[in-house]
Amino acid sequence: MSIWWSLHLRREAASVPLARRLLIGTMETAGVDPDVSFDLSLALSEACANAVEHGGANAVGGAAGTGAYCVTAYLDGEKCRIEVADSGPGFPGASRGCPATRPAAAETDEHGRGLCLIRELADHVHLGNKPGKGGAVISFDKMLKWREGAPLMTA
């Protein structure tokens, strides 16, 4: 059985826990192992936080809270795929197939760790830009583990 949902959210900090709770609730109801659910919900939180901070049409020098972003989650068979798309400037270098990511400057730096954390928590990560009007798209996959007797566990 497959489950998918899509949310269109305002670029506001309050949208991040909303997306995270929906994902956790979906995976809990489906019977996904809690450790996998935690990893994916943390990765989703990081991707949403990036969209809120950087993902608007006025993201460079603009204020968070303008515009919207989209979160889509697919639980299909033994894999979960999550995609977060925004309307910001996109990832530098993504058109050449190698989006730039920068390491955090110092241990006290609160920025620059999100994409690294997503890469650690997911099995596969893809960073890209939307064609046309622009915007960043991050998608990540993780193989699912199921609780004993999970209602949606694949045979």
Side-chain angles (χ1 to χ4, degrees), residues 86-122:
D86 63 43
S87 58
F91 292 107
S95 61
R96 297 185 306 274
C98 55
T101 58
R102 62 174 178 82
E107 288 186 21
T108 58
D109 190 358
E110 292 184 19
H111 301 286
R113 289 189 166 84
L115 295 177
C116 294
L117 187 57
I118 293 167
R119 284 189 171 115
E120 289 297 317
L121 294 168

Side-chain angles (χ1 to χ4, degrees), residues 39-126:
D39 287 353
L40 284 169
S41 67
L42 183 55
L44 174 62
S45 294
E46 292 296 329
C48 290
N50 281 346
V52 167
E53 185 172 348
H54 305 290
N58 300 324
V60 178
T66 59
Y69 67 103
C70 182
V71 177
T72 305
Y74 307 90
L75 279 79
D76 189 19
E78 296 187 8
K79 180 172 70 172
C80 178
R81 168 168 278 178
I82 298 171
E83 181 178 288
V84 178
D86 63 43
S87 58
F91 292 107
S95 61
R96 297 185 306 274
C98 55
T101 58
R102 62 174 178 82
E107 288 186 21
T108 58
D109 190 358
E110 292 184 19
H111 301 286
R113 289 189 166 84
L115 295 177
C116 294
L117 187 57
I118 293 167
R119 284 189 171 115
E120 289 297 317
L121 294 168
D123 295 330
H124 178 263
V125 178
H126 176 76

Side-chain angles (χ1 to χ4, degrees), residues 8-12 51 55-57 65-70 85-88 130:
H8 295 268
L9 300 164
R10 292 179 58 103
R11 285 186 50 242
E12 298 172 346
T66 59
Y69 67 103
C70 182
D86 63 43
S87 58
K130 293 190 297 189

